[in-house]
Structure formats: C-alpha cells, structure tokens
C-alpha cells in the first residue's frame, strides 16, 4: 500500500531489552521524522533525517538510535528500554523543497509499553 | 515557558456551533503554521497549512495567523459530531528541523 506505515503497531517489552520500531514510506520523501506522544507533553521530536545517511537529534534523543541507509526506511531503536519510554511513537515524512518541506504526513503510530 | 501553548480542553459544544481553537507561541522565527486533526488511536492528519500571516479558508475550516501577536486560530463552522477529535497546532521556522507542536485541544461536538 502507498503511504507511510509503521510496525509493529503494538509492542510490550521489558526494561533493558532492545526494541526496534520500523517506519516505511512509499512516496520517496527526503525528510523523515520520529516523534513520541505522551499525555501532558504532546508530540515531541526524537530524531529526524533530511536524506539517506543524514540524521540529526531532535528535542528528546536520549536513549534512542536511528539509521537511514535507504530513503524509504527510518528505523528507531531503543538500545536498552526504560519505563519512561512507554509512549506512542509516530513516524512522519515530508517532501524536499519549498513550502511543502513542512507538510508532514504521519504514520498510524506504534504503541510501546515497557514493563 | 513552552514555545507553543495550547489549551488541552476538553472543549464541548453543540452540533452546528462555531468552534474557535487557538495557540500562542513565543518563537519569532516560526513562519509555517499548521493544524492537524487526530482521531483516537490514529496518527495526526494535516488539516490546514498557512505560511506567514493571514487567513486561509477551506470549506468549513478557516485558519488565521497573527504574527504580530504570535497567535494562531482555527475556526470550524457548522460543527459536526464527526469533527470530534484532538486538534494540534504545529509550527516551524522552515527546513528539516521538524515541527513544534502544541499539546492539542480535545474537541467534543454534542449531537
């Protein structure tokens, strides 16, 4: 299907385990983003990428690692999960160039619970 | 102080009413202003997009930006129960550095 997809949609893990959340988009958008959404905080940017092999930190990067070897994929890894990383994670993407840079399209989200 | 302030609500209005949703911000560098709608357990979807100051209308929705006051608004006319959702304002200075979101306002349209 065209668009932006995330997997898994739901994940339960234990403290200390490594977890990888996947994001895939079929639009060939250059920019991709990872956000987390928590009650009382809204959406906060974790990491973003302007192109393959180019990534940068957002507002809350600690405890997370990203990579982008292909334009269409942007996985997010929690190296050693903590309870504070229990959240809903959203991936987003946007075009390159002009005003459309800022029109971000979101995936359906991954609901992560760390026990 | 957060860069973007938005009343979380909930805001409950009867069907057919005009709804006014607002955000204030502190960063003068913001130039791009958006409103996203998010239904329960879904990803945000772009509703309105405005560059710099001014108004933009799309059907029942009107977005207003007042950069001098650092204040943005979304108006919904003839509100419908299907408009019940969380509305997130978002803004950016441009480029690849992501969006800064408000916390979202939970809107309930009563049939």
């Amino acid at each position: 299907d065209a668009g932006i997809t995330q997997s898994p949609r739901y994940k339960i893990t234990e403290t200390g385990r490594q977890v990888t959340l996947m994001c895939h988009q079929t639009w060939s958008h250059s920019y991709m983003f990872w956000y987390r959404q928590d009650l009382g905080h809204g959406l906060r940017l974790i990491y973003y990428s302007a192109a393959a092999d180019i990534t940068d930190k957002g507002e809350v990067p600690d405890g997370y690692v990203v990579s982008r070897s292909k334009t269409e994929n942007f996985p997010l890894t929690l190296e050693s999960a903590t309870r504070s990383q229990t959240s809903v994670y959203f991936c987003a993407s946007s075009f390159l160039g002009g005003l459309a840079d800022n029109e971000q399209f979101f995936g359906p989200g991954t609901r992560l619970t760390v026990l | 102080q957060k860069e973007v302030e938005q009343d979380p609500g909930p805001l409950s209005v009867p069907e057919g009413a005009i709804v006014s949703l607002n955000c204030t911000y502190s960063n003068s560098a913001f130039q791009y202003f958006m409103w996203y709608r998010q239904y329960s357990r879904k990803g945000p979807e772009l509703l309105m997009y405005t560059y710099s100051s001014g108004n933009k209308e799309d059907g029942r929705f009107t977005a207003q930006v007042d950069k001098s006051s650092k204040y943005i608004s979304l108006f919904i006319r003839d509100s419908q129960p299907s408009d019940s959702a969380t509305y997130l304002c978002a803004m950016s200075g441009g480029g690849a550095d992501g969006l800064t979101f408000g916390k979202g306002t939970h809107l309930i349209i009563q049939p």
Side-chain angles (χ1 to χ4, degrees), chain A residues 4-97:
Chain A
I4 185 165
T5 57
Q6 294 182 237
S7 61
R9 294 294 313 278
Y10 301 90
K11 176 74 177 178
I12 299 174
T13 191
E14 295 178 339
T15 301
R17 290 192 180 268
Q18 183 179 81
V19 177
T20 296
L21 310 183
M22 304 302 293
C23 179
H24 175 78
Q25 52 102 355
T26 60
W27 292 308
S28 298
H29 287 179
S30 288
Y31 297 153
M32 295 188 74
F33 308 84
W34 274 106
Y35 293 88
R36 59 178 290 174
Q37 187 173 37
D38 305 287
L39 279 173
H41 289 281
L43 278 158
R44 293 180 291 174
L45 182 66
I46 305 172
Y47 268 96
Y48 63 97
S49 169
D53 297 321
I54 301 174
T55 62
D56 210 342
K57 296 177 180 179
E59 181 185 353
V60 288
D62 293 342
Y64 303 95
V65 174
V66 293
S67 62
R68 193 159 176 217
S69 57
K70 293 184 178 181
T71 299
E72 61 267 28
N73 297 324
F74 191 36
L76 175 74
T77 297
L78 288 66
E79 292 188 300
S80 179
T82 65
R83 289 192 182 89
S84 64
Q85 293 177 309
T86 292
S87 186
V88 181
Y89 291 86
F90 287 100
C91 179
S93 69
S94 64
F95 287 108
L96 170 67

Side-chain angles (χ1 to χ4, degrees), chain B residues 55-109:
Chain B
N55 294 357
K56 186 172 184 179
E57 188 172 321
D58 184 2
R60 297 184 296 111
F61 299 90
T62 300
Q64 289 185 349
V65 175
D66 182 350
K67 290 188 71 179
S68 62
S69 301
K70 297 189 178 66
Y71 187 87
I72 70 170
S73 301
L74 177 71
F75 297 96
I76 306 174
R77 292 182 298 281
D78 188 25
S79 56
Q80 304 294 312
S82 59
D83 295 328
S84 298
T86 296
Y87 289 79
L88 302 153
C89 63
M91 43 199 83
S92 168
D97 58 353
L99 298 171
T100 300
F101 283 85
K103 292 181 181 179
T105 298
H106 181 46
L107 175 65
I108 301 167
I109 307 298

